[in-house]
Amino acid sequence: AENEAYNSSSLRGRNNEVSSIDKTVTDFCFLAQETSSTSTSGASRAFAAMSILVLCSDGAVYTASPIIFDGTVLPRSMVLDAITHLDTEIDASMSFVESLPPSPVESTEQEQVEARARQCKAAKRYLMDAFGILENTSIQGSYYVSASIVHPRSSYSSSSTSSVNSLSEALAWQPRFQGPIVMPTQSDADTSFFCVCIEPFGGVGGAGIIDGFVVAQSEGRTLHVDFGIIPGEGSVVLPRFEFESDGDCQLIDELLRGTGAYVERALIKDDQEDAEESRTEIATSVLRNCVIVVDPLDAIMVHVSSKSRIATVSTNAIAVTAQRMLAQIDDERSNKNDKELPIVRTKVWSALEAANNTVILGAGVSRDIHLGHILLARLSSGTVEVVNITATQYLHESSELMKAKSEQLAASDGDDAALEMLQRVKPLHELLQPLVSKVSNGLSKMGKIVGGATLPKDTRPEILSIFLETQRSCEVNVVTPIEEMSKILDSRRELLKEMHDHQAAELERLTELMEEFKRKHESNVKRVKEYEANASKLAERSSALLTASRSLHPHITDAEAAYFKDLQRYESTCNKWDEKVIQLKKDATSSCDAMSAGAIQNGQVRCLVDLPAEKIDVCHKMLRGEAQLLKQLEQKVKESSEVVEKISKSMSRGENADSARLRLRLVGDKENHLR
């Protein structure tokens, strides 16, 4: 049936003459990851619990619903919410169709709405048949309901009180593939890419409006980890069946096609030798060269395990996408766009790398918070490696912080203004040499033409012209260059003074920084000595505890183990019914207050049952008897608590004989109580 559904679904071309494209399905996962989210409605959780995501090799994601196993147990309220959601959508579709103006030709939108309404009717009928919920009935029934797909279900007919075994027809309702709900990107259509696995991710971060998933793609020795979203938290992917007509199938697929999208990508370099070989063998058998492990303790973290390493990816892409969608909805309602949008932050680091000739076979994250945030990896050598995820994350963030600081220091060194200024300033001798040469040439050309004893009356015109020419040559070739040299020397003096002040300040700053480094180094040395001393003490204590714990073995009998299991079961049952008991207590308290003696005397409350005096006396005697039984039970509970306390004290002190006698007494009391 699954092969027939696949062959006739949208995973293959419907018109073989036009298209004969075959899709290679590589993996699937259930849409629901977290079913206890308070922000998600019961209908969305129900649809997500019975829907799967199907991954193809090119990155396209299809869906299939319903996938329900025989005996699946769900809360009755969740199934009823799903049926109510379907009724609401059916009514909305019918109202929309009735509101349209009459037209001889139906529009595509009308046809899609009508097809969606028929899909909702079929889904409602399937849920009622699979879970045995009668229509238009006021009987609430138990808290949980179970799906009956293969085995008959005991039900009560309206004309008889005896049970009737009826076989469900849900097995004949074969599900149909839907989509693609997420289209592959342009790069994913390349033959060098091959999508390997898919897992649900970030359900809590979806804020009740989207579901997330993570896909791993292989490209040679590089792994691409893509994070995608599907809107609606399961309510978009409603059940569809194989008997659906081709027309309805095309219309609904057109509605669903491309509603999801990839929102973030992370790259992981993988030194895997047989990556090319595994990629060439995918036509015959899908070889999973990587596995995605969703972290159960951190909602924004996944671990990608390949044969050679385990990489951890942390991203808030799902939560940020949900916040942006909510912000866009709020902006449309308020006609404002002044909110600051959050930023997607994705980090990738290596958690474990396999040594030579060793292959990682599998990995998992412990759900026990008492053990810490740890990852367990099994190697081909038979050993199990334990990785502290918190420690590796801190190391990665510290290395990134140090890298950023080193880059900042390198940038500050490249921007040294003083060094650049010195490189731009020419040497002083290069500036003064032309001027000095000019002055020397001017002085060498000058000669004594007239002396100070030449009288003005003896001056001739040619002597005066020579004197004036000599004076002009002196001003041009000697005085002017000397003035320029004076200006150059003044500017260089100011520059040297500025550089001297700057270097003096820098030297003072470096001196203070060196002193601070010395103080930090001394404090770090003291801390290292203290840590080493504490580490040695902790090592001694750990060794002593390990030696002492090896000789300790749990001493507990099968009867005690069964008794403790019963206590755990009773505790879980009490926790489940705690809210109902509190509500019953409130109702009883209000009823008792309303039926007080004063209310009866005032005539506000009147007993509807008129009992004679003898029956009233019998009721009083029964109440007194119940009080005596309750007192006896209270005494037995006190005795049992004392025995348990003695057992715990004797076991803590190592008194094996006393604890054995107390255990025998406890078992005997339990058997007597059962009798």
Side-chain angles (χ1 to χ4, degrees), residues 65-103:
S65 178
I67 306 296
I68 300 178
F69 300 97
D70 186 61
T72 299
V73 178
L74 292 177
R76 178 183 291 270
S77 59
M78 185 185 296
V79 181
L80 292 178
D81 288 343
I83 295 175
T84 304
H85 175 82
L86 294 173
D87 287 334
T88 304
E89 190 160 349
I90 291 171
D91 295 339
S93 301
M94 293 296 100
S95 301
F96 175 78
V97 173
E98 292 175 357
S99 63
L100 294 176
S103 175

Side-chain angles (χ1 to χ4, degrees), residues 278-306:
S278 64
R279 191 154 47 91
T280 56
E281 296 177 356
I282 59 176
T284 56
S285 63
V286 178
L287 184 60
R288 295 170 64 95
N289 57 355
C290 72
V291 177
I292 297 176
V293 180
V294 180
D295 199 301
L297 301 180
D298 196 339
I300 63 172
M301 188 177 294
V302 294
H303 310 277
V304 182
S305 173
S306 63

Side-chain angles (χ1 to χ4, degrees), residues 11 145 198 209 376 569:
L11 284 174
V145 291
I198 184 173
I209 60 173
L376 305 175
R569 182 168 57 84

Side-chain angles (χ1 to χ4, degrees), residues 310 362-366 374-378 384-387:
I310 299 177
V365 179
S366 174
I374 61 173
L375 182 142
L376 305 175
R378 185 171 184 84
V384 177
E385 293 289 337
V386 180
V387 180

Side-chain angles (χ1 to χ4, degrees), residues 596-648:
S596 60
I600 295 175
Q601 292 177 0
N602 297 333
Q604 297 178 358
V605 179
R606 184 175 61 86
C607 183
L608 299 178
V609 181
D610 190 7
L611 296 177
E614 296 135 1
K615 291 187 178 181
I616 292 174
D617 189 25
V618 171
C619 292
H620 290 168
K621 291 180 180 180
M622 291 175 65
L623 290 175
R624 287 192 293 271
E626 291 292 336
Q628 293 295 330
L629 290 176
L630 290 175
K631 290 181 179 179
Q632 294 176 4
L633 290 175
E634 183 180 5
Q635 184 65 26
K636 289 183 179 180
V637 170
K638 290 182 179 179
E639 293 176 357
S640 299
S641 63
E642 292 176 357
V643 171
V644 171
E645 185 177 0
K646 290 179 180 179
I647 288 176
S648 62

Side-chain angles (χ1 to χ4, degrees), residues 455-563:
L455 297 175
K457 64 180 182 176
D458 297 332
T459 302
R460 296 188 297 273
E462 60 275 10
I463 296 176
L464 182 59
S465 62
I466 292 173
F467 175 78
L468 295 176
E469 179 63 24
T470 302
Q471 182 182 7
R472 186 192 65 79
S473 177
C474 180
E475 291 178 354
V476 172
N477 296 325
V478 178
V479 177
T480 303
I482 291 175
E483 290 179 353
E484 292 180 1
M485 285 190 293
S486 177
K487 292 179 180 178
I488 292 173
L489 291 174
D490 291 340
S491 62
R492 183 56 57 92
R493 188 181 297 107
E494 293 178 357
L495 177 61
L496 291 175
K497 182 180 179 181
E498 183 180 355
M499 291 177 59
H500 178 269
D501 296 340
H502 176 73
Q503 290 177 357
E506 189 70 17
L507 182 61
E508 184 179 358
R509 187 183 67 84
L510 291 175
T511 304
E512 294 177 356
L513 187 61
M514 185 177 295
E515 294 294 333
E516 185 180 357
F517 283 160
K518 288 181 180 179
R519 290 194 298 270
K520 288 185 178 180
H521 177 70
E522 293 175 357
S523 63
N524 289 334
V525 170
K526 293 181 181 178
R527 289 182 181 178
V528 167
K529 292 181 180 179
E530 294 176 358
Y531 290 158
E532 289 178 352
N534 294 334
S536 61
K537 293 180 181 179
L538 290 176
E540 293 176 359
R541 292 179 182 177
S542 300
S543 178
L545 288 174
L546 181 61
T547 305
S549 62
R550 287 176 179 174
S551 61
L552 297 178
H553 299 283
H555 300 283
I556 185 170
T557 62
D558 295 337
E560 291 174 345
Y563 177 69

Side-chain angles (χ1 to χ4, degrees), residues 196 216-225 266-276 278 288-291 304-311 348 350 352-354 358-360:
V196 180
Q217 299 182 10
S218 175
E219 184 192 11
R221 296 185 179 182
T222 304
L223 293 176
H224 298 255
V225 183
L267 301 180
I268 301 175
K269 296 291 184 179
D270 192 4
D271 300 331
Q272 188 173 335
E273 297 179 356
D274 57 345
E276 295 293 334
S278 64
R288 295 170 64 95
N289 57 355
C290 72
V291 177
V304 182
S305 173
S306 63
K307 293 183 179 180
S308 59
R309 69 169 53 183
I310 299 177
V348 183
S350 178
L352 177 66
E353 294 186 3
T358 305
V359 177
I360 299 175

Side-chain angles (χ1 to χ4, degrees), residues 134 153-166:
L134 302 178
R153 176 189 291 106
S154 298
S155 60
Y156 292 89
S157 61
S158 59
S159 60
S160 175
T161 58
S162 61
S163 62
V164 179
N165 293 330
S166 59

